[in-house]
Amino acid sequence: MATPVLQVSNLTTRFRTDRGDVTAVDDVSFDVGRGETLAIVGESGSGKSVTSMSVLRLIPSPPGRIEQGQILFEGTDLLQLDEADMRKIRGNRIAMIFQDSMSSLNPSITVGKQIAEPIRLHRGVSWREAYQEAEELLRLVQIPDAKGRLSAYPHQFSGGMRQRAMIAMALACRPTLIIADEPTTALDVTVQAQILDLLKELTRKAQTSMILITHDMGVVARYADRVAVMYGGRIVEQGTARAVFKQASHPYTRGLLASVPRIDSDPSQPLPAIGGMPPDLSALPAGCAFAPRCASVLSECKSRRPALTDMGSGHFNACFAS
């Protein structure tokens, strides 16, 4: 088997707060193969975005800190690099698409310059060449009048166009890995599908790996090769998309899948919901974090945390009741 592009092992990230230390990412391990799309899925507060920010070492310190783990990118441990070397990787070999394009783009700089700048910085070309490349990228992400739009500002783009511009920025330096953090959250359903189809097609053609962070299991089913389900800062189930959807074994994963609307469901009946609320990361229970909301809870679940166990064929689950 080929060496993965990214290997994350035993990653733990904590934040210091007025209420004490909060473990946002707790002993998380996963890998991403070349050309593969890994979806990290879970409710808000499950640790998805902090995991991705940890990979790029964008955790603000203080109050945050990466306490332990290893992040191997193409064989290099990112946690051992100094800040100068990390800047050579961010936006170049690893790119990120943030969920709020309006706050991610600088409102006082033209879209063309924001796309051209990393090209000039990381590839050492002239501004003229960088702008030519930026124009081609805007055309690639299907923005009309690409040349004219180079001089437009972010507020002159629609939400869908801003997100396409973010994809163009992510692709600018031909990265090995793209991290897409809920890239279509603020868009309507039709535009969401267009953006995700475009992103999947462009990464497929370039054989670029992608981490897709989402809470939408419908998106996972359509675009992901493998899935890691997070809850309370930990991965509770992991496997191929086919295995997770056909043989979901963790009660939380089953709850997420049950809440997805189906075309054959009775429209007069409400969708099933997971009872209770996501856990307070500053006061996690002694056992399984999902135990207070779980219909299959055992006494063992309340006293100790289940380890992620291989169920065969690379399908992992952390549940005593499964």
Side-chain angles (χ1 to χ4, degrees):
M1 181 178 177
T3 303
V5 169
L6 180 73
Q7 294 173 284
V8 176
S9 304
N10 309 113
L11 178 66
T12 298
T13 302
R14 291 193 172 96
F15 291 87
R16 181 161 295 166
T17 72
D18 293 339
R19 302 173 59 189
D21 281 3
V22 171
T23 305
V25 177
D26 189 359
D27 198 28
V28 163
S29 299
F30 61 87
D31 55 56
V32 185
R34 186 166 298 278
E36 178 182 61
T37 296
L38 170 72
I40 301 180
V41 63
E43 294 169 291
S44 296
S46 61
K48 310 183 300 297
S49 293
V50 177
T51 298
S52 67
M53 300 288 272
S54 297
V55 169
L56 281 171
R57 283 182 45 195
L58 291 174
I59 300 297
S61 177
R65 63 193 184 278
I66 298 173
E67 287 218 334
Q68 68 171 31
Q70 187 179 60
I71 303 172
L72 289 179
F73 173 66
E74 296 184 322
T76 299
D77 188 353
L78 300 185
L79 297 182
Q80 302 303 316
L81 298 182
D82 59 27
E83 185 57 28
D85 286 332
M86 275 304 303
R87 283 197 295 268
K88 294 175 184 177
I89 290 176
R90 294 192 201 106
N92 183 21
R93 293 163 63 197
I94 304 177
M96 189 160 186
I97 303 171
F98 296 94
Q99 58 181 294
D100 185 355
S101 57
M102 195 60 193
S103 63
S104 302
L105 293 168
N106 191 321
S108 64
I109 300 176
T110 62
V111 170
K113 185 173 183 180
Q114 292 186 64
I115 298 172
E117 190 169 31
I119 298 173
R120 186 173 182 273
L121 176 66
H122 291 297
R123 289 164 53 186
V125 300
S126 67
W127 275 112
R128 181 176 180 177
E129 291 173 295
Y131 269 102
Q132 289 175 341
E133 182 74 16
E135 181 185 341
E136 287 302 313
L137 285 163
L138 288 183
R139 193 171 286 115
L140 183 66
V141 297
Q142 301 171 12
I143 288 183
D145 186 22
K147 187 172 184 178
R149 290 290 183 175
L150 288 173
S151 58
Y153 289 87
H155 72 272
Q156 296 173 301
F157 277 36
S158 68
M161 289 172 65
R162 284 196 297 269
Q163 207 61 36
R164 289 172 188 269
M166 289 289 294
I167 293 173
M169 290 176 67
L171 295 172
C173 294
R174 306 184 186 112
T176 306
L177 174 67
I178 292 176
I179 301 173
D181 186 359
E182 303 203 39
T184 60
T185 297
L187 305 177
D188 64 62
V189 175
T190 303
V191 178
Q192 281 185 26
Q194 292 172 353
I195 295 294
L196 288 168
D197 284 340
L198 174 65
L199 189 55
K200 184 66 175 177
E201 178 64 15
L202 293 175
T203 53
R204 183 191 64 80
K205 285 182 178 179
Q207 273 296 287
T208 302
S209 305
M210 181 164 65
I211 297 175
L212 178 60
I213 297 170
T214 182
H215 59 269
D216 188 335
M217 294 300 284
V219 168
V220 173
R222 183 166 179 175
Y223 299 101
D225 299 306
R226 288 193 304 114
V227 185
V229 181
M230 289 192 74
Y231 188 82
R234 308 191 98 195
I235 292 178
V236 296
E237 186 160 3
Q238 186 173 183
T240 64
R242 179 181 293 273
V244 170
F245 274 80
K246 286 189 172 295
Q247 299 173 317
S249 53
H250 197 281
Y252 179 60
T253 309
R254 293 198 295 266
L256 292 176
L257 291 172
S259 66
V260 177
R262 295 173 55 94
I263 197 168
D264 58 352
S265 60
D266 184 351
S268 65
Q269 297 298 315
L271 286 171
I274 302 172
M277 296 291 291
D280 180 351
L281 295 180
S282 65
L284 288 172
C288 174
F290 189 62
R293 306 172 70 187
C294 183
S296 306
V297 65
L298 305 174
S299 58
E300 189 177 17
C301 303
K302 298 178 181 180
S303 59
R304 64 188 185 96
R305 290 185 177 182
L308 203 59
T309 304
D310 191 348
M311 302 172 62
S313 302
H315 188 176
F316 294 83
N317 176 47
C319 181
F320 294 124
S322 300

